[in-house]
Amino acid sequence: MGKIIAVANQKGGVGKSTTVVNLAAYLGSRDLKVLCVDSDPQGNTTTAFGINKKSVEASTYEVLIGRSRVQDAIIHTNFKNVSLVPATENLAGCEIELSQFENRVQRLKMQLLTCKLDYDYIFIDCPPALGTLTINGLVACDTILVPMLAEFFALEGLSQLVNTIKIVRTSYNPSLEIEGILFTMFDSRLNVANDVVAEVEKYFPDKVFETKIPRNVRISEAPSHGKPVMYYDKSSKGAEAYELLGHEILGEPLKLKEKKRRGIFKFKK
């Protein structure tokens, strides 16, 4: 049975969509079947896979309000073993429409249960808010992956997210666990960045990914070409970082000397 991972953080600009797209691409290249669900009204995951939103007939919006089955909304991307439930601008007003349903926070879960067996991994790209769309993602998933910046204010946002996870556990999804906390746009030369990592590791031991995603031009450029970074520039630091993250997700980290050679692996002191 496939594993459903929600990628969430109520703060915007932390690399949620980037992580979904590039992690999915790497796992797909490893012959694993991957489905991405774009649950963010901005639709960045959809754009990053090179999908023209105007050509989309069924999207996450139609799935959530019950106008379409999830199977009918799935698009096969141009990238190996990666499929997508796209997002369109219609999703922006979805939270208001969902308020009329009694089971409004379980809509996505009910749909994904019908296709979970067809995939090894399902990633849900949640919007940068703790509203109904994000709660749908947390109720539907097995684990949550939290991308965050190594900045002081990010700690406050993480605390709010943890409180939300506790509420979801109590009311809807008692088995919900944190897959891991991923530092993105990371610069190890900054003292504040290392201090924030140390603080998070203190409160979430064994939950912080050792791989840190660096600031990388190729990661930023790839979406404008409609490609994950490994298909845009496989030799870039960004592509190598998401490869390392993929190894961690699969429980098979690279050998120590290989991590050191790549220079994008943050070691604990």
Side-chain angles (χ1 to χ4, degrees):
M1 180 179 289
K3 184 175 187 178
I4 302 178
I5 300 176
V7 180
N9 189 327
Q10 76 273 25
K11 286 188 173 292
V14 298
K16 290 186 296 294
S17 300
T18 299
T19 296
V20 168
V21 169
N22 290 300
L23 186 53
Y26 174 71
L27 294 176
S29 74
R30 293 283 304 273
D31 294 322
L32 296 166
K33 292 191 66 178
V34 183
L35 174 66
C36 298
V37 179
D38 194 348
S39 188
D40 185 346
Q42 296 178 81
N44 290 337
T45 290
T46 302
T47 300
F49 278 123
I51 304 298
N52 182 355
K53 296 175 186 176
K54 294 182 179 179
S55 67
V56 171
E57 296 181 2
S59 67
T60 306
Y61 168 75
E62 282 78 16
V63 171
L64 286 171
I65 66 169
R67 192 177 294 172
S68 172
R69 298 187 313 145
V70 67
Q71 288 87 348
D72 297 328
I74 292 173
I75 294 173
H76 299 292
T77 73
N78 293 325
F79 310 103
K80 185 178 180 182
N81 293 320
V82 179
S83 298
L84 170 72
V85 179
T88 63
E89 60 185 16
N90 291 335
L91 194 58
C94 188
E95 296 211 2
I96 297 175
E97 293 189 55
L98 285 175
S99 64
Q100 65 184 302
F101 296 103
E102 289 186 6
N103 61 346
R104 58 184 175 274
V105 299
Q106 297 174 307
R107 307 286 293 178
L108 185 58
K109 176 181 180 178
M110 292 188 296
Q111 288 278 2
L112 293 183
L113 284 176
T114 67
C115 67
K116 190 175 182 181
L117 290 173
D118 299 328
Y119 297 93
D120 296 296
Y121 285 92
I122 298 176
F123 292 100
I124 305 171
D125 182 11
C126 298
L130 294 178
T132 307
L133 290 174
T134 295
I135 301 301
N136 261 272
L138 299 185
V139 171
C141 72
D142 300 306
T143 62
I144 174 173
L145 191 159
V146 186
M148 67 178 288
L149 304 181
E151 298 176 353
F152 176 76
F153 287 121
L155 295 173
E156 187 176 69
L158 179 60
S159 175
Q160 294 170 354
L161 181 61
V162 169
N163 288 335
T164 301
I165 293 172
K166 290 178 180 177
I167 293 170
V168 171
R169 278 180 184 154
T170 301
S171 303
Y172 303 105
N173 188 355
S175 62
L176 177 61
E177 296 291 340
I178 296 177
E179 180 74 25
I181 297 169
L182 174 69
F183 283 98
T184 59
M185 293 174 258
F186 187 76
D187 188 344
S188 61
R189 297 170 298 178
L190 301 177
N191 289 334
V192 65
N194 293 300
D195 290 344
V196 169
V197 171
E199 189 73 8
V200 174
E201 287 178 339
K202 182 169 68 176
Y203 287 101
F204 299 93
D206 302 320
K207 288 298 183 182
V208 178
F209 287 108
E210 293 186 79
T211 302
K212 307 293 185 283
I213 308 302
R215 290 189 181 274
N216 181 253
V217 172
R218 295 306 194 195
I219 291 178
S220 301
E221 291 175 345
S224 66
H225 295 268
K227 296 179 180 181
V229 68
M230 68 173 293
Y231 287 92
Y232 177 62
D233 185 351
K234 189 173 179 60
S235 64
S236 67
K237 290 285 188 182
E240 292 182 337
Y242 277 108
E243 179 182 340
L244 281 174
L245 177 63
H247 280 277
E248 283 201 74
I249 290 287
L250 295 173
E252 49 179 44
L254 298 180
K255 293 180 180 179
L256 188 64
K257 64 179 182 180
E258 182 68 6
K259 296 169 187 172
K260 286 182 176 178
R261 184 186 68 79
R262 293 173 184 232
I264 49 178
F265 194 92
K266 174 69 177 177
F267 295 101
K268 295 179 180 178
K269 295 181 181 179

